[in-house]
Amino acid sequence: MTFDLKQEWSAAEVSALLASVEDDRSWRLEVTADGIVQLNDLTMVPDAAHEDALHCCFEVWDQGTDFVGAGAASDKNLCKTLERRLRENYPALQGAKTLSAL
């Protein structure tokens, strides 16, 4: 699942994105240069070209940290925080390319 930051969206889309995967491996929430938000399975480390093409990303969410999956999707505070951080950093970054979810 993905969603587009250039369209109408809310914390509900963030929640649906988090719910679309299991907390059974390391994940990273990424924003492409054209504003598409996606979760990247970090079972395989992305290459430099992938990293360079990103607008921004969140720090790696290690397996078992509850940043993805059903529990994360139902955490309204987490979803609102992620929504706020995404809105603050797209289309213009407010700081470093790697964002913190906390």
Side-chain angles (χ1 to χ4, degrees):
M1 188 207 152
T2 65
F3 64 92
D4 189 340
L5 295 177
K6 297 180 305 301
Q7 306 296 322
E8 269 308 299
W9 66 278
S10 69
E13 281 73 27
V14 174
S15 176
L17 178 65
L18 297 179
S20 71
V21 299
E22 296 294 323
D23 190 14
D24 60 353
R25 65 195 77 182
S26 295
W27 295 93
R28 183 172 66 183
L29 191 149
E30 301 175 339
V31 179
T32 65
D34 58 348
I36 303 301
V37 180
Q38 61 196 11
L39 285 169
N40 187 21
D41 173 354
L42 294 179
T43 303
M44 293 182 49
V45 177
D47 62 21
H50 177 82
E51 297 291 314
D52 291 342
L54 293 177
H55 173 73
C56 65
C57 60
F58 284 82
E59 75 273 6
V60 175
W61 296 336
D62 290 325
Q63 178 180 349
T65 57
D66 293 327
F67 276 102
V68 297
S74 66
D75 184 336
K76 292 187 186 316
N77 289 330
L78 174 62
C79 293
K80 284 297 211 179
T81 297
L82 294 173
E83 175 191 17
R84 179 179 48 79
R85 300 285 290 140
L86 289 167
R87 289 189 190 281
E88 289 172 350
N89 287 283
Y90 191 86
L93 279 173
Q94 299 300 309
K97 188 172 181 173
T98 301
L99 307 175
S100 172
L102 304 174

